[in-house]
Amino acid sequence: MASTTYDFDMMLSNAREAYGEELYKMAKEGIDFVFTYTDNVAPSTKAGQLIKEFPERCINFGIAEPNQVGASAGLALAGNVVFSQVFGPFLPLRAADQIHTDIAYNETKVRLIGTHSGVTAGGGPTHNDIADLALYRAIPNLTVVVPADAGQCCKFIRESMDYDGPMIIRIDRAGSPNVYADNDYELVIGKAIETLEGTDAYIISCGSNLYECLMAAKAMKEKYNASIGILDMHTIKPFDSEAVIRVAEKTGNVVTVEDHSINGGLGGAVAEVLCEAGYKGNFKRIGMPDKFAVLGSPDEIYHHYGMDRDGIEATLKTMLNL
């Protein structure tokens, strides 16, 4: 089991910076790949340094996401491994056709890095990226991963070099707490990580929400002596159904938490698995309701919709009749 940081104060990391740092390291090591990007990559970032030092392998497409995704597919079909950074809200909404037909249908080795995912874009409801997982799950051949923190993001970047077919790497906008104390744990694409063992209930989550889940589990232990487990479902597709069924049967209480609409995302995938398995226990989805979000910072939005540690704790209390 991986070691977590949930006993400590928030230790910030930045997956949006980390992917560029890892790509830069890989380029310095002589690993061959192509990087396509939009014009929101700051020169001061590690991705910006990659662009400066390795211009022959980096292509700026400006604000033209469909063109970028389509061209990335072409580069991959020419024999390249392609990492393509796209502003998250525009990746699934503006480039859906290219993801479906150019990337997935042709099974290209393109890694689409969707930044600013969930409600973290900072541009309000028009820029909230809360329907992407529903789209990605329905498209054949796509692998979809949602790193919990910067370290896990770097591990996925490395793992993806030798992984067949296209991949979506979904990360948030900025600094999020580290979930794992170090990177000395096994990461297998398609296999969930039991981040924390539990006997009373399990939270299944992914991405930066995982830290809030850990803090909620800690509060439940301290206040009510409730043992809450955490399942890091870092891979949305292919989905680790066996892990879901195992933790559900262990406790009979399951809550999902995601920075996405409750329709079609992680919660929907878990519900499908449990329903088909004949699960008869308690189940609750926490995520964005079927509406455009209120205006506010991500933390304010999470609190408003019960997606932060307070809301998760309240849901667990109700479920466990505490």
Side-chain angles (χ1 to χ4, degrees):
M1 180 173 295
S3 176
T4 71
T5 64
Y6 83 101
D7 284 328
F8 308 106
D9 291 334
M10 290 168 56
M11 301 165 65
L12 291 180
S13 65
N14 193 333
R16 186 163 62 101
E17 175 68 11
Y19 87 82
E21 183 174 353
E22 199 64 23
L23 288 177
Y24 178 72
K25 288 179 183 178
M26 289 162 56
K28 296 288 281 186
E29 293 167 14
I31 297 174
D32 191 23
F33 62 88
V34 175
F35 179 56
T36 68
Y37 62 101
T38 53
D39 64 356
N40 68 331
V41 174
S44 59
T45 64
K46 282 295 183 179
Q49 192 172 352
L50 169 72
I51 294 164
K52 181 179 179 181
E53 293 190 28
F54 299 91
E56 72 283 354
R57 67 167 71 189
C58 302
I59 306 171
N60 184 354
F61 282 85
I63 306 175
E65 292 81 5
N67 290 344
Q68 179 184 343
V69 174
S72 296
L75 289 164
L77 289 170
N80 301 290
V81 175
V82 182
F83 291 91
S84 182
Q85 177 273 328
V86 186
F87 186 54
F90 300 156
L91 177 60
L93 298 179
R94 294 187 176 177
D97 183 23
Q98 287 72 24
I99 294 171
H100 176 275
T101 306
D102 298 341
I103 299 290
Y105 181 74
N106 291 296
E107 299 186 65
T108 60
K109 292 194 74 171
V110 176
R111 288 75 182 92
L112 294 169
I113 304 170
T115 63
H116 302 70
S117 296
V119 300
T120 70
T126 59
H127 284 55
N128 289 166
D129 187 20
I130 61 170
D132 56 327
L133 295 180
L135 170 70
Y136 300 149
R137 288 184 61 223
I139 297 178
N141 299 333
L142 275 185
T143 294
V144 183
V145 299
V146 188
D149 57 19
Q152 195 173 89
C153 181
C154 291
K155 291 171 80 73
F156 274 124
I157 293 290
R158 289 275 176 175
E159 288 290 322
S160 72
M161 278 300 303
D162 298 321
Y163 194 81
D164 289 333
M167 180 181 294
I168 304 286
I169 302 176
R170 185 189 199 253
I171 58 180
D172 62 12
R173 179 187 186 188
S176 300
N178 284 323
V179 168
Y180 298 102
D182 53 54
N183 292 323
D184 189 23
Y185 63 93
E186 184 179 18
L187 179 71
V188 178
I189 295 171
K191 293 296 180 182
I193 298 172
E194 190 168 353
T195 307
L196 191 65
E197 291 184 349
T199 56
D200 294 320
Y202 265 84
I203 305 171
I204 302 176
S205 187
C206 62
S208 56
N209 294 99
L210 210 69
Y211 185 85
E212 290 298 300
C213 296
L214 285 165
M215 297 308 292
K218 180 183 178 183
M220 292 293 293
K221 184 67 174 178
E222 292 174 347
K223 296 178 182 179
Y224 311 103
N225 197 33
S227 175
I228 310 300
I230 308 289
L231 193 66
D232 177 3
M233 190 61 72
H234 52 68
T235 306
I236 303 298
K237 190 177 180 181
F239 200 68
D240 192 352
S241 300
E242 292 182 0
V244 170
I245 295 170
R246 174 173 52 82
V247 300
E249 291 180 344
K250 182 179 179 180
T251 66
N253 295 295
V254 176
V255 174
T256 61
V257 181
E258 61 190 313
D259 191 354
H260 184 274
S261 169
I262 59 171
N263 298 324
L266 172 63
V270 171
E272 291 164 11
V273 168
L274 294 179
C275 185
E276 290 191 343
Y279 174 71
K280 299 184 185 305
N282 297 314
F283 174 68
K284 177 68 176 178
R285 296 172 297 167
I286 297 177
M288 290 300 300
D290 189 18
K291 61 176 66 175
F292 290 108
V294 297
L295 290 172
S297 69
D299 286 343
E300 290 172 328
I301 294 173
Y302 295 154
H303 186 73
H304 181 81
Y305 293 113
M307 298 163 62
D308 63 355
R309 65 189 71 177
D310 295 335
I312 299 166
E313 180 186 338
T315 297
L316 287 167
K317 283 175 58 181
T318 301
M319 180 174 285
L320 298 177
N321 296 314
L322 297 175

